[in-house]
């Protein structure tokens, strides 16, 4: 649990997207590969649909045919960081940090329940490992550790996905004041 706490603190303090986007880019643009092996169209559509990022990679490649896989990764990470910083700039780091914590905790709550159910399912069937000449206790430790790693990764991916898709707006102070007055009047009635 200390690792989970450490991960939560780190994720709440900064937008930890580098690993997620690096993994995504490397699925479509393998490291040290040639352009013929790249799947830029699918990468663009995946970035747009799954992460809410519009990065015109095909246009970039057409404009600069000398781009390599590291340049593409760098541009995707830069676009993700700019998107994040733009959202933070609208409401401020402290306010957005609170929102990040809420998203992380909501994701943790959902995935923790699923994790406990998976551990219960594992516990119910672990005795069968003895028939395969394996130590059930060691197998339970190994498989539960794998489940925990998957839990952490799921929390991180879901949190980043929500933070990528969220559209941050700041109300005009006059509009906000009018809205608060209306709410106060409704409560008074």
């Amino acid at each position: 649990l200390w690792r989970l706490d450490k991960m939560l603190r780190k994720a709440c303090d900064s937008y930890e997207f580098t690993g997620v986007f690096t993994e995504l880019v490397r699925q479509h643009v393998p490291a040290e590969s040639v352009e013929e092996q790249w799947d830029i169209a699918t990468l663009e559509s995946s970035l747009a649909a799954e992460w809410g990022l519009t990065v015109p990679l095909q246009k970039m490649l057409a404009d600069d045919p000398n781009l390599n896989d590291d340049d593409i990764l760098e541009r995707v990470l830069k676009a993700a960081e700019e998107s994040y910083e733009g959202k933070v700039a609208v409401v401020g780091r402290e306010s957005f940090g609170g929102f990040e914590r809420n998203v992380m905790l909501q994701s943790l709550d959902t995935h923790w329940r699923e994790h406990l159910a998976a551990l219960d399912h594992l516990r119910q069937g672990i005795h069968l490992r003895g028939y395969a000449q394996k130590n059930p206790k060691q197998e339970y430790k190994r498989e539960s550790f794998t489940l925990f790693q998957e839990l952490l990764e799921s929390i991180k991916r879901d949190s980043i996905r929500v933070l990528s898709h969220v559209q941050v707006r700041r109300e005009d102070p006059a509009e906000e004041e009018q809205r608060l007055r209306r709410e106060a009047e409704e409560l008074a009635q």
Side-chain angles (χ1 to χ4, degrees):
L1 287 177
W2 65 270
R3 183 174 173 207
L4 180 61
D5 182 57
K6 184 178 176 183
M7 190 205 82
L8 286 173
R9 290 179 192 274
K10 184 179 180 184
C12 289
D13 290 341
S14 67
Y15 186 54
E16 190 59 40
F17 58 81
T18 306
V20 173
F21 286 111
T22 300
E23 183 181 315
L24 177 67
V25 169
R26 291 303 179 208
Q27 285 176 357
H28 300 285
V29 181
E32 299 179 16
S33 60
V34 293
E35 189 174 341
E36 288 77 31
Q37 296 173 313
W38 299 351
D39 190 2
I40 297 296
T42 306
L43 176 59
E44 275 185 353
S45 63
S46 180
L47 284 169
E50 194 173 341
W51 303 102
L53 281 177
T54 304
V55 186
L57 295 173
Q58 290 178 344
K59 184 179 181 315
M60 289 178 192
L61 276 171
D63 293 345
D64 185 4
N66 294 327
L67 285 178
N68 62 28
D69 59 302
D70 290 330
D71 296 333
I72 291 174
L73 174 62
E74 181 182 316
R75 291 181 186 204
V76 169
L77 291 177
K78 183 180 177 192
E81 188 170 353
E82 286 173 356
S83 173
Y84 172 76
E85 290 300 329
K87 293 171 185 180
V88 170
V90 172
V91 293
R93 191 157 304 279
E94 189 173 309
S95 295
F96 201 75
F99 177 69
E100 284 178 321
R101 279 188 287 285
N102 288 337
V103 167
M104 179 71 71
L105 290 173
Q106 184 177 13
S107 179
L108 171 65
D109 185 45
T110 302
H111 289 289
W112 184 251
R113 290 181 201 159
E114 294 169 4
H115 178 70
L116 292 178
L119 286 177
D120 189 45
H121 181 70
L122 176 63
R123 184 184 56 79
Q124 291 174 2
I126 200 69
H127 68 281
L128 299 173
R129 303 301 196 285
Y131 294 123
Q133 302 297 319
K134 295 183 178 180
N135 182 349
K137 192 182 260 187
Q138 290 295 345
E139 289 298 305
Y140 182 81
K141 286 180 183 178
R142 185 181 58 77
E143 290 185 34
S144 63
F145 181 72
T146 302
L147 288 172
F148 186 72
Q149 288 177 317
E150 290 172 4
L151 166 74
L152 295 178
E153 193 62 30
S154 295
I155 292 169
K156 184 167 73 169
R157 288 183 68 84
D158 283 356
S159 298
I160 292 172
R161 184 174 289 117
V162 169
L163 293 173
S164 294
H165 281 286
V166 72
Q167 294 180 356
V168 180
R169 293 184 305 196
R170 182 173 209 100
E171 288 185 0
D172 181 39
E175 290 177 15
E176 186 175 4
E177 185 177 330
Q178 288 176 350
R179 182 183 56 81
L180 291 173
R181 282 186 185 164
R182 276 181 284 164
E183 288 177 4
E185 289 172 3
E186 290 173 4
L187 288 174
Q189 295 175 357

